[in-house]
Amino acid sequence: MRDSPWTPTLAIPSRTDVRRSTAALLGALLVLTSASAQAQSAPTPLEDNRTITLGYIGIAYELGGIIDPTLQPGGTSSVRPNWFTFAPHASQAGGKGMYSAALARHFINTARLQPSLSLTNALDRLGLDGVLRLRIQDLSLRLIAQGLTVDAATALSVLTSALNAGALADVRTLLATASRMGTLYWSAPGATPLDKVEAIVITLERTLHEGNLAIYNDIGGSARLYLDWRAAATGPITPARVLTEFTLVDANNVEAQQAYAYAIAHAEDSPRPTRMDLIFPGMPWKSLLIAAFALYEDARLAPTPARRDALVAMGTNFVAWREQYDQAQPVFTPAGSPSDEVSRAAVLQMLTPFLMTDFGTVRWTYADYAYAQPDRDGNPLTSPPCEYSWADFWDRWNGILFAFDKAYARPTELWVMPEPLMDPLG
């Protein structure tokens, strides 16, 4: 991949030098209205994502140091990772989706001023080469065949660029994705082709941003309250003290004690309990956070590594359930949507085959999960990743549990923390 004099490179940055390829676009973006310029004074989604990822890294080391007292800031641990060890990587994965949306938006702004002369010209502007260029080119050509303009097709295809674009190597995924993108495009609001694509880009960016904020404010905020409470407490911290003395708004300590007791009794079950809706019907899921903190404290005191790891996994499932059921799901499938958006559920379904997270050096892709499952529809013409949707709670939940199990086998590698992304025009 090479730098382009027109737009930011599509390479996902591992250093803070991503600004170097954006200078030419800055002049073009000066034509934005004064209202847009004022809006840019607030943090962009990627700037918020950077703050959140850094916040999670700090919490990961603090909480990880409780479970494994030998863990030092910047170090590694062979203890099973807890939810907050996963969190920086998951936040970074959401940031990559926002990064793709930012690149698409910047490309759209440039194309409004000077339309691309050809698909080759559009891909050159994006600095694409190698296998990624071929994948985006194939998808763009499929969209052009559906009646999209070159720039609209390219901008829409770019949404896969910072994700697992390799999934397009399966021609079935390529065809299904092009069909879903085309359907979204023709249903999108907007007077021009680029307006329609921008509505899709806006939908993706807002969905990821709102989910990122909701989860961090709730679960990250709860962890921060817990760590502050713990630091201020006098005397030894025990699970019993956590369950009775530590409180959270909207949580119920009695029900947290019930959840904790169940986890203690069933932590080593195989398979591990995961259906919180059946185990604790009617429970306010925020109570699970208190139970999880108590389980993490119990893990620190566990008599064997196997028992410790089992308790960590139960606590992590509790946190993940609260995260996905109460925070992510309302964002992904809201009761209504703004007039300038398309269906959030449809956008997430479209991108499900491309989802991936690098948990340090352990890469998880939704495609790997889907290919490992029994064929859902029995149709060989349908690629397995296209049979799922990240907007569906159960599709997402089971994929996350699959990712946890994969990462549990290589715990030290999750402590290779991500370099937070920079906004390409920040």
Side-chain angles (χ1 to χ4, degrees):
M1 201 173 296
R2 56 186 170 78
D3 291 340
S4 164
W6 289 95
T7 58
T9 175
L10 279 169
I12 299 303
S14 59
R15 299 289 186 270
T16 58
D17 61 354
V18 297
R19 304 184 191 195
R20 60 193 174 93
S21 61
T22 65
L25 266 180
L26 291 175
L29 293 179
L30 289 176
V31 302
L32 295 175
T33 64
S34 59
S36 297
Q38 292 172 1
Q40 289 180 5
S41 63
T44 67
L46 274 173
E47 288 167 346
D48 277 340
N49 177 258
R50 179 178 177 82
T51 299
I52 289 170
T53 301
L54 288 169
Y56 277 137
I57 290 173
I59 293 172
Y61 276 103
E62 287 188 65
L63 197 61
I66 292 172
I67 301 171
D68 178 6
T70 68
L71 177 65
Q72 298 297 317
T76 62
S77 171
S78 60
V79 170
R80 174 163 287 179
N82 65 79
W83 186 93
F84 295 92
T85 317
F86 287 97
H89 307 290
S91 177
Q92 180 86 342
K96 289 180 180 180
M98 292 180 230
Y99 191 87
S100 291
L103 291 173
R105 186 192 294 277
H106 301 155
F107 178 83
I108 288 169
N109 288 335
T110 303
R112 289 188 191 280
L113 296 175
Q114 185 178 358
S116 300
L117 300 175
S118 64
L119 180 56
T120 297
N121 178 218
L123 298 175
D124 287 344
R125 282 176 150 184
L126 288 165
L128 285 171
D129 60 14
V131 174
L132 180 57
R133 180 184 179 111
L134 293 176
R135 300 287 178 246
I136 301 302
Q137 176 179 280
D138 288 345
L139 183 53
S140 298
L141 286 170
R142 296 286 178 180
L143 293 171
I144 291 169
Q146 295 183 57
L148 277 68
T149 65
V150 166
D151 283 327
T154 305
L156 200 47
S157 298
V158 164
L159 293 181
T160 68
S161 62
L163 307 177
N164 180 27
L168 291 168
D170 188 329
V171 68
R172 299 171 298 173
T173 299
L174 171 64
L175 294 174
T177 301
S179 176
R180 288 171 177 172
M181 284 185 167
T183 298
L184 271 173
Y185 171 83
W186 292 112
S187 71
T192 70
L194 290 177
D195 290 341
K196 286 180 169 294
V197 174
E198 189 166 34
I200 300 171
V201 173
I202 287 171
T203 303
L204 173 62
E205 187 175 60
R206 285 181 186 161
T207 302
L208 296 176
H209 185 216
E210 290 175 17
N212 205 200
L213 288 173
I215 294 167
Y216 183 69
N217 287 338
D218 180 75
I219 298 177
S222 296
R224 186 74 267 155
L225 290 172
Y226 177 71
L227 291 168
D228 290 347
W229 170 84
R230 194 180 193 279
T234 58
I237 301 298
T238 64
R241 287 190 67 185
V242 176
L243 294 166
T244 56
E245 297 178 28
F246 178 66
T247 60
L248 291 170
V249 175
D250 297 327
N252 183 302
N253 284 70
V254 172
E255 292 186 329
Q257 293 168 27
Q258 294 170 353
Y260 170 82
Y262 180 90
I264 291 297
H266 296 277
E268 295 175 87
D269 287 1
S270 183
R272 188 174 301 112
T274 60
R275 287 293 303 268
M276 310 310 165
D277 57 328
L278 301 180
I279 300 169
F280 311 118
M283 178 179 288
W285 303 125
K286 196 158 187 179
S287 302
L288 294 178
L289 298 185
I290 296 177
F293 294 134
L295 287 168
Y296 291 154
E297 294 286 354
D298 211 6
R300 173 175 55 85
L301 305 170
T304 66
R307 179 63 176 172
R308 177 199 64 204
D309 288 351
L311 293 170
V312 170
M314 279 301 297
T316 294
N317 284 359
F318 281 179
V319 180
W321 183 274
R322 164 67 176 180
E323 167 207 9
Q324 294 300 323
Y325 197 96
D326 284 345
Q327 300 304 313
Q329 196 61 39
V331 173
F332 294 167
T333 55
S337 59
S339 59
D340 60 346
E341 289 188 13
V342 294
S343 165
R344 293 187 175 189
V347 170
L348 291 173
Q349 181 188 40
M350 173 186 78
L351 292 178
T352 296
F354 308 98
L355 299 179
M356 71 176 185
T357 303
D358 289 323
F359 294 112
T361 59
V362 181
R363 172 163 288 185
W364 167 87
T365 73
Y366 200 94
D368 286 343
Y369 163 71
Y371 285 119
Q373 306 310 306
D375 189 356
R376 271 189 164 181
D377 64 3
N379 183 355
L381 299 180
T382 307
S383 75
C386 292
E387 297 176 1
Y388 296 83
S389 173
W390 195 249
D392 181 271
F393 175 79
W394 297 111
D395 286 357
R396 192 169 67 254
W397 178 243
N398 290 318
I400 289 169
L401 295 175
F402 182 90
F404 284 168
D405 286 339
K406 183 174 181 179
Y408 286 158
R410 298 158 67 179
T412 60
E413 297 183 44
L414 270 74
W415 292 101
V416 180
M417 289 296 169
E419 176 73 19
L421 298 170
M422 298 287 289
D423 192 315
L425 290 183

